[in-house]
Amino acid sequence: MKLSRFMFLALLACPVVLFAQEVVKVSSYNPQTQDATAAIQAALDSGAAKVLVDKVLPEYRVTTLKFRSNQEVIFQRGVRVRAIKGAHQGVNDCLLLAKGVQNLIVRGEGDVRIEMNKSDYQDSKLYRPSEHRHLFPIIGCDNVVVRDLTLASSGGDGLYISGDETKNWSSNVLIENVISENHHRQGCSIISAEHLKIRKCIFRDTKGTPPAAGIDLEPNNTSQKLVDCVIEDCKFVGNAGGGFGAGINYTLSAPVSITFRNCIVEENPNMAISFWVGGSKEKLLEGDIYCIDCKIRQKQGIPLQFNNIRAGGVRIHFQDCEIDNRNSDLAAILLNTQFPDDVDGIDFGNLLIRQKASQPVVDIGALGAAKLYPPQGNIIIENETDERKAYDLVALASKHAGDEQLRNFLSTPLDTKGLKPVADKGNPQNTLRLRGEHNFLQYGKAGVPMTLTFTVPWHRDAPIHIPVTVRDSYNTFVAEFILTEEQQTFSFTPKYDSVFAFHFRTHWIVNVSSPYPGQGYDCSKRLGLMSCESDFYFVVPTGLEKINIEIWGDMGEKVQGQLYSADGELVDQTDYNFGVMFLTATRAQNASEEIWRVHVKGDEDHAVRLGSPLQPILFTSPENIIK
C-alpha cells in the first residue's frame, strides 16, 4: 500500500500504525549472542507489517541491517544494538540502512541505544580511515519515520539523508526525538531531501573529522535538492565543528527552502551557525533560509558565520533570534566571500546580541572586488550593564564599497610550450606546504635522468594515497604514480625536451623538491598553501604596465601579501586579513622585462594567483625560472 502525503502526515501526528496488524518478534528467529544479524534480518525480510526487536539479549551485536518497505520496526524498551567489533571494514559500511524503501517506521519504545565503535574506526592500525561509516543512511526513500532512538559513535554520520541511483533525494522524512551523539563526522548530514522534518532532537559531541557539525546541509551535485527542510525544537551542543549550517557549493535543481525554528545552539567550540551558500561559480544558488526564534550561547568560537552570500542569490532571514556572546572576546558575526559578486541578501530581523560594549560585533574579511550592501533588519547590542543600542549596519556597509576594476580578475591559461630554463642549475630549497589541486612544473631534457622528492609532512596519521599524473607541454600523458610514503622519490628519463606537469590533489600537505633548473608552480588557479611563509618570483614581460596579484585566506584564516619590484622596493602590501585581497602595481610605459617578487605569509589555508597577462607560473628562486 502506498500512502498519500495526507495519510503520511496523519501518521506523523499519531503513533497508531496504519499497516496490517501482523507482528513478528526477533526472538522467534533465535538471535545469537555473538552475531544477531541473521535473526533480525530474517524478521525484516519476513514481509510482516510489524517487526518487534524484543529484549531477549543484553545486547544485539550486528553488522548491517537493511530495512524493507511497508514496515514498522519497533525496538522494545531498553534494547541495545551494537556494531560487532572488527566488522565494518569497508569504508562505506553502515549499521542500519534504508535504501529505496517506502512507508517505513523505525522507532523505539524508550531507552533504546544503537551504537557503533567510533574509537576503533579512528585507529588507523585497525581500520582504513574513512568518514563514511555512517550509522543510519536514508537513501532515495519516501515516507520514512525515525523516532525515539539514541544513535551513537559512528565512523561517519549518525544520520545521512540523500538520494540513490533512481531518485536523487529522499522525501517525506520525519526524524523525531532522536539523540545523535559522538559521531566522527556529523550528527546528521542532509545531502538531498524534499519535505524533511527534524524535530525535538539533540545533536551533540560530534568530533573526529570536519565538518564535525550537529547538522550539515551539504549537497554533492547540481541534480540534488533541499526543498521544504524544517529543523525545529532541536538542541546542538558540544559539536567540535559547529552546531548547524549549510555548505552549498552547487546550484541545485530547485531553489532551497530551509527553516531552523526554536533551536538552541550552545557550547560548540568552533562556531554555532554557519552558512556557505554561494552555489556554483557560473550560476547563483537561489532560495530562502530562515532562522526563527533560535538561541545561540557561546563561550568560544564565532556564533554566526556567513560566506559567499551573493547578491541575487540565497536570502537568509532571522526572526526573533538571540546570541549570548558575553563569555567570548570574539566578534559575534563573521562575514566573508570568495566570489567577486556583491554581498547582499541577509535580513537580521530584530537580532539581539548580548556582549561587552568594547567587543567587535561584525568581523569582515577582505571582500576583494565585492561590495557589501547594508543588511536588512536590525541588530540590537545589549552590553554588560543591560543597556541596548542599535548597531549601524549602513555604516558597516559603507566601509566595503568594492573595486569595480578588479571584479573581472582573470589569469592567463597555462601554456608551457617552448619554455626553457634561464639557468644551468636549479635551487631545490623551498618551504612550501602545498594543499589542494596543483601542477608542479619541471623542465626535462631528452635522455637526462631526473629524480624528484615528494614529502607529505602532515596527513593526520591517515594512510597516504595521493595519485600523481605527469603530462608534457602538449598535455600528453607521460606517467602516473601514487604517493604512499611520508617521503618518496620519483625517477624518470624524458624522451624529449618539454616542461612536464606533475598534477596532484590532496587534503594533506605536500612539498616537492627538485635540484634541476626550470621548475615552478602553476598559478593560473589559486596556488593553495597551508601554514607557511613563502617568497615567489615571477616574470614581468617587456611593456607590461599593470600588475595584479590575488591573495586569499580561508574563512577566519589570515594571510598577508607583499609585492616587491625588481630592485627590491616594497611597492604594495595587503592587510593581515582573511578573504580576497589584491596586490597591484603600475610600471612605466615600455619598461623592460623584469623579475619581481611576492612574499606571502598565511596562518592556515591561503593562496596566491597571478593576474593576466602575466605568465601564470611562480618560482621559489630566480635560478628556477623558465621563460
Side-chain angles (χ1 to χ4, degrees):
M1 170 177 72
K2 180 172 176 62
L3 299 178
S4 69
R5 187 158 181 230
F6 174 81
M7 293 173 68
F8 176 69
L9 293 174
L11 177 61
L12 301 189
C14 177
V16 177
V17 182
L18 301 180
F19 305 129
Q21 294 304 303
E22 181 189 355
V23 180
V24 300
K25 295 182 179 181
V26 167
S27 58
S28 302
Y29 291 85
N30 191 27
Q32 300 299 300
T33 302
Q34 295 304 313
D35 186 350
T37 308
I40 300 177
Q41 192 62 56
L44 296 174
D45 293 342
S46 68
K50 287 187 181 182
V51 174
L52 177 64
V53 185
D54 44 338
K55 193 175 186 302
V56 295
L57 292 176
E59 182 177 75
Y60 285 98
R61 298 173 185 171
V62 301
T63 53
T64 299
L65 302 176
K66 299 178 181 179
F67 295 116
R68 305 307 184 194
S69 294
N70 303 316
Q71 197 168 67
E72 180 181 19
V73 182
I74 306 164
F75 292 87
Q76 200 170 52
R77 176 176 291 276
V79 162
R80 298 289 185 266
V81 179
R82 178 179 282 277
I84 293 174
K85 298 276 283 186
H88 302 95
Q89 290 289 334
V91 294
N92 296 307
D93 286 353
C94 61
L95 188 61
L96 310 179
L97 176 62
K99 183 175 182 181
V101 305
Q102 298 179 344
N103 309 328
L104 170 69
I105 299 174
V106 181
R107 67 179 180 90
E109 292 187 327
D111 189 27
V112 174
R113 186 175 182 86
I114 302 174
E115 190 166 10
M116 296 182 76
N117 303 301
K118 182 177 91 167
S119 60
D120 288 355
Y121 313 137
Q122 292 176 330
D123 186 343
S124 61
K125 296 178 182 178
L126 299 176
Y127 282 84
R128 181 179 172 185
S130 170
E131 59 187 61
H132 300 289
R133 290 188 181 93
H134 307 316
L135 195 151
F136 192 174
I138 299 170
I139 302 175
C141 296
D142 184 49
N143 290 355
V144 174
V145 178
V146 180
R147 58 155 58 104
D148 303 326
L149 301 171
T150 294
L151 309 176
S153 304
S154 76
D157 306 338
L159 289 155
Y160 179 91
I161 302 170
S162 188
D164 63 7
E165 301 82 2
T166 303
K167 186 180 73 169
N168 208 3
W169 59 88
S170 287
S171 53
N172 301 313
V173 175
L174 170 68
I175 312 295
E176 184 175 45
N177 196 29
V178 167
I179 297 174
S180 183
E181 64 182 14
N182 189 38
H183 296 288
H184 178 60
R185 188 180 73 163
Q186 316 271 33
C188 175
S189 284
I190 304 170
I191 307 300
S192 187
E194 183 176 42
H195 309 313
L196 165 69
K197 181 167 285 189
I198 299 177
R199 66 188 185 198
K200 298 180 181 178
C201 294
I202 298 174
F203 300 90
R204 64 191 181 201
D205 300 329
T206 308
K207 185 177 182 180
T209 192
I215 287 182
D216 182 29
L217 296 101
E218 189 168 350
N220 292 327
N221 58 63
T222 58
S223 66
Q224 295 177 326
K225 61 173 67 175
L226 294 169
V227 174
D228 187 26
C229 297
V230 179
I231 297 97
E232 60 186 5
D233 301 317
C234 292
K235 290 185 178 181
F236 302 85
V237 184
N239 299 287
F244 65 75
I248 309 176
N249 298 316
Y250 301 94
T251 298
L252 305 179
S253 60
V256 301
S257 49
I258 303 165
T259 299
F260 296 90
R261 181 185 294 111
N262 195 34
C263 292
I264 294 174
V265 189
E266 58 186 2
E267 307 310 331
N268 299 279
N270 184 43
M271 61 187 169
I273 300 173
S274 176
F275 295 118
W276 297 49
V277 290
S280 306
K281 180 179 179 181
E282 302 78 13
K283 184 179 179 182
L284 289 169
L285 174 71
E286 297 181 344
D288 294 274
I289 299 175
Y290 289 87
C291 286
I292 302 170
D293 197 24
C294 292
K295 307 294 189 293
I296 302 173
R297 303 164 187 157
Q298 288 288 102
K299 287 185 179 178
Q300 55 182 318
I302 298 292
L304 194 54
Q305 291 191 7
F306 300 98
N307 198 16
N308 302 337
I309 313 300
R310 302 164 71 184
V314 171
R315 298 169 296 276
I316 302 177
H317 314 263
F318 290 83
Q319 298 175 14
D320 301 320
C321 293
E322 298 180 7
I323 296 175
D324 187 344
N325 200 34
R326 290 174 291 187
N327 294 313
S328 171
D329 294 323
L330 299 175
I333 299 170
L334 190 65
L335 188 147
N336 190 34
T337 187
Q338 300 177 35
F339 291 94
D341 310 64
D342 292 335
V343 178
D344 193 16
I346 302 173
D347 184 348
F348 286 113
N350 53 345
L351 177 64
L352 175 64
I353 301 176
R354 295 185 174 92
Q355 65 176 38
K356 296 182 286 290
S358 60
Q359 203 167 340
V361 177
V362 183
D363 185 3
I364 297 184
L367 301 182
K371 173 183 178 179
L372 173 63
Y373 282 90
Q376 300 298 304
N378 298 288
I379 294 178
I380 304 299
I381 306 301
E382 182 180 286
N383 66 20
E384 56 268 56
T385 61
D386 297 331
E387 295 176 317
R388 293 191 174 189
K389 182 179 180 180
Y391 182 72
D392 194 338
L393 293 169
V394 174
L396 174 72
S398 68
K399 300 175 183 177
H400 302 274
D403 188 334
E404 284 293 331
Q405 291 184 337
L406 294 171
R407 187 175 297 278
N408 296 316
F409 179 92
L410 296 172
S411 293
T412 302
L414 178 68
D415 183 359
T416 61
K417 293 188 288 291
L419 300 183
K420 295 184 180 298
V422 299
D424 295 330
K425 293 183 179 180
N427 183 349
Q429 301 300 316
N430 74 79
T431 58
L432 299 188
R433 292 162 56 87
L434 305 172
R435 191 181 192 190
E437 184 175 6
H438 291 278
N439 282 311
F440 172 73
L441 307 174
Q442 175 65 66
Y443 178 81
K445 194 167 183 60
V448 178
M450 310 184 78
T451 298
L452 308 182
T453 301
F454 294 80
T455 305
V456 185
W458 179 77
H459 52 96
R460 287 183 176 164
D461 295 324
I464 299 168
H465 185 89
I466 305 173
V468 182
T469 303
V470 186
R471 294 181 179 273
D472 66 14
S473 291
Y474 291 88
N475 202 33
T476 302
F477 174 82
V478 175
E480 61 184 355
F481 58 98
I482 297 176
L483 301 180
T484 59
E485 305 293 334
E486 289 188 351
Q487 188 169 87
Q488 184 172 329
T489 59
F490 174 75
S491 299
F492 79 117
T493 301
K495 296 180 180 179
Y496 45 84
D497 295 356
S498 182
V499 174
F500 296 93
F502 291 74
H503 176 268
F504 57 89
R505 184 197 305 264
T506 180
H507 292 296
W508 311 134
I509 305 299
V510 173
N511 174 271
V512 187
S513 178
S514 166
Y516 309 104
Q519 55 174 286
Y521 300 85
D522 175 10
C523 63
S524 58
K525 298 180 181 178
R526 287 175 178 168
L527 178 66
L529 303 163
M530 176 71 171
S531 302
C532 59
E533 185 171 1
S534 315
D535 279 305
F536 293 104
Y537 299 84
F538 59 96
V539 178
V540 183
T542 299
L544 179 63
E545 296 181 27
K546 192 72 173 179
I547 297 172
N548 292 320
I549 300 174
E550 180 189 70
I551 303 293
W552 170 81
D554 204 356
M555 187 75 155
E557 299 173 3
K558 293 184 177 181
V559 62
Q560 185 175 45
Q562 296 174 322
L563 179 61
Y564 292 87
S565 65
D567 58 9
E569 178 187 357
L570 176 64
V571 295
D572 195 16
Q573 67 178 2
T574 69
D575 294 332
Y576 176 55
N577 204 348
F578 60 93
V580 180
M581 298 171 282
F582 295 98
L583 295 167
T584 62
T586 302
R587 299 198 308 163
Q589 287 184 341
N590 301 317
S592 61
E593 179 182 279
E594 295 177 318
I595 306 301
W596 283 45
R597 175 169 65 96
V598 58
H599 180 82
V600 183
K601 181 179 180 181
D603 289 348
E604 294 188 43
D605 282 297
H606 61 286
V608 58
R609 183 162 66 119
L610 296 181
S612 180
L614 290 169
Q615 178 192 67
I617 306 177
L618 288 169
F619 308 94
T620 54
S621 171
E623 299 100 303
N624 295 335
I625 288 174
I626 49 176
K627 65 177 186 176

